[in-house]
Amino acid sequence: MAAPKAVRIELSAAERAELEARLRRRKVARGDALRAQIVLLAAEELSNLAIVERLGVARMTVATWRRRFAEERLDGLADEPRPGAPRTVSDEKVAEVVTATLESLPAGRTHWSSRGMAKAAGLAPSTVQRIWKAFSLQPHRVETFKLSTDPRFVEKVRDIVGLYLSPPERALVLCVDEKSQIQALDRTQPLLPLRPGQVERRTHDGKRCGTTSLFAALDIKAGTVIGKCMARHRAAEFRRFLDTVETRVPADLDVHVVMDNAASHKTKLIRDWFAKRPRWHVHYTPTSASWINQVERFFALLTDDAIRRSAHRSTAELEAAIKGYIDAHNADPKPFAWTKSADDILAAVQRFCQRTVTVQAKCLGTSESGH
């Protein structure tokens, strides 16, 4: 017997906007996002079979949510009440816990714990944990941030992101920086290697065996890295590294260098070096914005893959390990894909600043009313 014809779906502007918002929302249940996607595809007059093939779900799932939306619209995409014991925590109690978490602090402490909130609210700690999870509240966690105060922040972001997204013709774009004071650490006890049922183990303390500094230049298009280790990271060493880079890049191409505002990058020695080479163009990152320099991403990979878990008895061993990592990276380079436009970055910073100002104004108002 032929399957019944799929219900036709027509969306209003408000319904389409809400469904698309559910897809974009970062913290949304996977099931809710899937239902929204099914309805949006159905509104494009796709058959149930076509939606099944695109999303990889059961045909009954597609038919069910398509029918429920046609009958109840957005309300039909909500979960129906399920069998089981009735709720013992009211909506008012949930709101009380959420409000207390967001707007108050326990006596003498900087943040709530689940046990402390449970005692204050008269609930079980597991109940508080479920409420926090449902509302994505994590009082035990804290993150740091720092906003650039560079007066030319907007100009520099547009300049550097423009280089990443649309590099100039017949030119190289190099992200240059140094990772200073890399320690050669030897563990106080021998490493216990990985084995079935046991992770690799090492002592938490180590013996310091000297430091080195890595100067690196990342070609954003090819993904290759020019690196050189030196004992110090002064302007003199940076000048020698630039000489090394110059011998490694084609002589017939312009070179655009992205680097930060470190003092060693702006001395007279370095300014004179660039002044004598008109094909070299310097682009300084905004202050407190090292995230925009792609070589920092390479340094993070180097740390995770080759330094943090290693043991070296001398700086020579450490430098050999770093060179080996760079050689392996250059044998199979993978450029980093920059996806954010300058407008996206600046809009995100603007939203963060506006939200911060709003929160600070609210906190200030609360403080003044308390006096």
Side-chain angles (χ1 to χ4, degrees):
M1 187 173 91
K5 188 176 181 180
V7 181
R8 181 181 177 84
I9 299 294
E10 294 184 1
L11 299 176
S12 66
E15 288 172 336
R16 182 177 292 277
E18 171 60 22
L19 292 170
E20 290 176 347
R22 293 185 186 186
L23 284 181
R24 293 193 302 268
R25 203 170 297 152
R26 292 177 58 191
K27 295 182 179 178
V28 64
R30 183 178 181 276
D32 291 341
L34 176 63
R35 297 164 198 172
Q37 195 170 10
I38 289 172
V39 175
L40 287 170
L41 292 175
E44 297 177 7
E45 301 185 356
L46 269 68
S47 66
N48 287 350
L49 183 58
I51 298 175
V52 166
E53 292 176 349
R54 179 174 295 191
L55 300 183
V57 296
R59 187 167 185 169
M60 182 59 69
T61 300
V62 175
T64 297
W65 294 113
R66 186 171 193 154
R67 174 182 53 79
R68 284 183 54 174
F69 182 84
E71 295 172 355
E72 304 176 45
R73 312 309 291 178
L74 290 172
D75 290 339
L77 300 184
D79 284 324
E80 293 180 341
R82 301 186 180 187
R87 288 177 55 191
T88 59
V89 181
S90 65
D91 290 341
E92 290 75 15
K93 196 65 174 178
V94 171
E96 178 186 328
V97 171
V98 172
T99 301
T101 304
L102 294 175
E103 299 181 2
S104 67
L105 293 174
R109 299 189 178 185
T110 59
H111 61 280
W112 286 104
S113 66
S114 58
R115 294 182 184 276
M117 178 58 71
K119 183 176 180 181
L123 299 171
S126 59
T127 302
V128 172
Q129 291 169 357
R130 287 196 297 271
I131 293 173
W132 282 352
K133 183 177 181 180
F135 287 87
S136 299
L137 296 174
Q138 298 177 321
H140 64 288
R141 294 188 59 193
V142 64
E143 295 180 350
T144 60
F145 73 93
K146 185 174 184 179
L147 291 176
S148 174
T149 57
D150 195 322
R152 297 178 58 200
F153 177 79
V154 173
E155 175 187 341
K156 290 180 177 180
V157 167
R158 293 193 181 280
D159 176 38
I160 294 173
V161 173
L163 284 176
Y164 292 162
L165 297 180
S166 182
E169 294 291 335
R170 297 197 57 75
L172 289 177
V173 179
L174 300 178
C175 292
V176 175
D177 202 0
E178 59 265 15
K179 183 175 178 62
S180 59
Q181 297 295 306
I182 308 173
Q183 292 195 49
L185 287 176
D186 186 22
R187 302 296 164 184
T188 55
Q189 298 293 333
L191 181 77
L192 297 179
L194 172 72
R195 64 180 183 180
Q198 178 65 62
V199 299
E200 179 183 289
R201 290 181 291 175
R202 64 179 187 181
T203 58
H204 71 279
D205 55 344
K207 177 183 177 183
R208 297 180 181 180
C209 302
T211 62
T212 189
S213 294
L214 170 64
F215 292 80
L218 170 69
D219 183 338
I220 68 163
K221 184 176 181 180
T224 55
V225 174
I226 301 171
K228 187 173 184 179
C229 290
M230 301 187 193
R232 304 178 69 176
H233 58 285
R234 303 168 301 175
E237 284 75 20
F238 186 58
R239 158 71 184 274
R240 294 206 302 273
F241 176 67
L242 290 176
D243 290 337
T244 300
V245 174
E246 187 176 34
T247 63
R248 301 275 294 274
V249 300
D252 59 337
L253 297 180
D254 280 359
V255 182
H256 293 263
V257 177
V258 176
M259 61 185 186
D260 62 23
N261 297 270
S264 59
H265 297 169
K266 291 187 171 183
T267 63
K268 185 176 184 304
L269 179 68
I270 303 303
R271 294 199 308 270
D272 290 345
W273 192 94
F274 283 115
K276 295 176 182 178
R277 294 162 175 80
R279 74 183 183 109
W280 288 68
H281 311 276
V282 179
H283 305 262
Y284 289 108
T285 64
T287 56
S288 305
S290 59
W291 47 265
I292 205 171
N293 192 334
Q294 291 193 40
V295 76
E296 296 290 349
R297 181 62 257 173
F298 172 78
F299 286 155
L301 292 176
L302 170 67
T303 300
D304 291 339
D305 296 342
I307 296 178
R308 182 174 287 124
R309 290 175 55 173
S310 62
H312 302 105
R313 296 181 179 85
S314 66
T315 55
E317 284 189 14
L318 173 61
E319 291 177 0
I322 293 173
K323 183 179 183 302
Y325 181 83
I326 293 176
D327 290 344
H329 172 87
N330 288 340
D332 184 24
K334 292 181 174 60
F336 301 121
W338 190 273
T339 58
K340 289 285 188 180
S341 68
D343 288 339
D344 291 337
I345 294 171
L346 296 175
V349 173
Q350 182 182 17
R351 289 193 300 270
F352 180 83
C353 292
Q354 289 174 339
R355 188 165 65 250
T356 302
V357 169
T358 301
V359 171
Q360 289 178 341
K362 183 178 179 181
C363 293
L364 182 60
T366 303
S367 176
E368 291 177 348
S369 63
H371 289 295

